[in-house]
């Protein structure tokens, strides 16, 4: 288990939103607030430490959407090169000050704070399990927690595969946690993914 305050959260909010049809998908309202704000508020409610939000070069709308929240925004000038660059950007911004990094996707507004708490509770580096991922309905989902020994790999990510390469390189260190949270699979890619009015 890790103290929530020792977890730095990296929220990815630099995508191009091409399938959504709007430039600022992450600021689109979901249940009354900007999509990206849900992820940040879940992390804060779970008691996490520093929260770094990785944006693209044009981030004015995201900044407005997160106004009043205790976050640090970091621009990824290479966002068009893929998700891996955004994870690396956020992880490098955290440096080695945290005990673990939780990578969250800004377009997954339904992940519950209790799910983050379950990931923190399952973190067991002494037992060799320092990558923790949620599982719902038999499928692994997001977000994923990475212990300090994996920071170097996160700092070096590139391309569009995200952190999958880190998990596949060290499968023996991955612990999956069953959660009653369908939000770990529910990302918003198109307007059709939004809840009905």
């Amino acid at each position: 288990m890790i103290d929530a305050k020792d977890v730095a959260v990296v929220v990815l909010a630099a995508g191009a939103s091409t399938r959504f049809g709007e430039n600022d998908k992450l600021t689109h309202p979901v249940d009354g607030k900007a999509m990206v704000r849900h992820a940040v508020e879940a992390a804060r409610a779970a008691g996490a430490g520093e929260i770094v939000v990785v944006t693209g070069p044009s981030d004015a709308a995201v900044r407005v959407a997160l106004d009043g929240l205790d976050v640090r925004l970091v621009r990824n000038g290479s966002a068009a090169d893929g998700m891996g660059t955004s994870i690396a950007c956020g992880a490098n911004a955290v440096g080695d000050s945290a005990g673990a990094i939780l990578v969250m996707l800004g377009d997954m507004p339904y992940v519950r704070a209790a799910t983050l708490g379950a990931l923190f509770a399952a973190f067991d580096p002494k037992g060799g399990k320092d990558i923790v991922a949620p599982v719902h309905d038999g499928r692994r989902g997001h977000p994923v927690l990475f212990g300090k020994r994996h920071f170097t790999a996160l700092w070096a990510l590139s391309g569009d595969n995200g952190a999958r390469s880190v998990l596949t390189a060290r499968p023996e260190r991955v612990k999956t946690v069953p959660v009653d949270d369908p939000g770990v699979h529910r990302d918003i890619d198109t307007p059709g993914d939004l809840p009905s009015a």
Side-chain angles (χ1 to χ4, degrees), residues 172-191:
E172 77 284 359
R173 302 197 70 87
V174 178
K175 182 172 186 177
T176 54
V177 180
V179 296
D180 183 19
D181 184 358
V184 302
H185 296 142
R186 191 174 177 192
D187 58 341
I188 308 294
D189 287 328
T190 71

Side-chain angles (χ1 to χ4, degrees), residues 102 108 111-112 114-120 122 131-145 167 171 174-186:
L102 181 74
M108 295 187 74
V111 175
R112 300 171 186 159
T115 295
L116 308 189
L119 300 182
F120 302 163
I131 300 175
V132 187
V135 170
H136 176 74
D137 200 21
R139 291 189 298 130
R140 194 170 69 202
H142 295 279
V144 179
L145 183 67
L167 278 76
V174 178
K175 182 172 186 177
T176 54
V177 180
V179 296
D180 183 19
D181 184 358
V184 302
H185 296 142
R186 191 174 177 192

Side-chain angles (χ1 to χ4, degrees), residues 7-107:
V7 177
V9 178
V10 172
V11 179
L12 305 183
S17 308
T18 52
R19 286 190 286 168
F20 195 77
E22 294 179 15
N23 288 333
D24 296 313
K25 173 181 80 169
L26 294 175
T27 63
H28 190 91
V30 174
D31 296 337
K33 67 183 76 168
M35 193 183 305
V36 69
R37 196 173 177 101
H38 286 272
V40 172
E41 290 185 350
R44 188 55 69 215
E50 181 180 24
I51 300 175
V52 173
V53 179
V54 182
T55 69
S58 176
D59 64 357
V62 171
R63 287 179 180 273
V64 170
L66 297 177
D67 185 53
L69 295 177
D70 181 17
V71 300
R72 180 156 59 109
L73 278 80
V74 178
R75 282 193 181 106
N76 176 14
S78 301
D81 293 336
M83 184 188 297
T85 67
S86 288
I87 297 173
C89 181
N92 276 286
V94 169
D96 61 1
S97 60
I101 291 175
L102 181 74
V103 178
M104 297 188 74
L105 305 182
D107 64 355

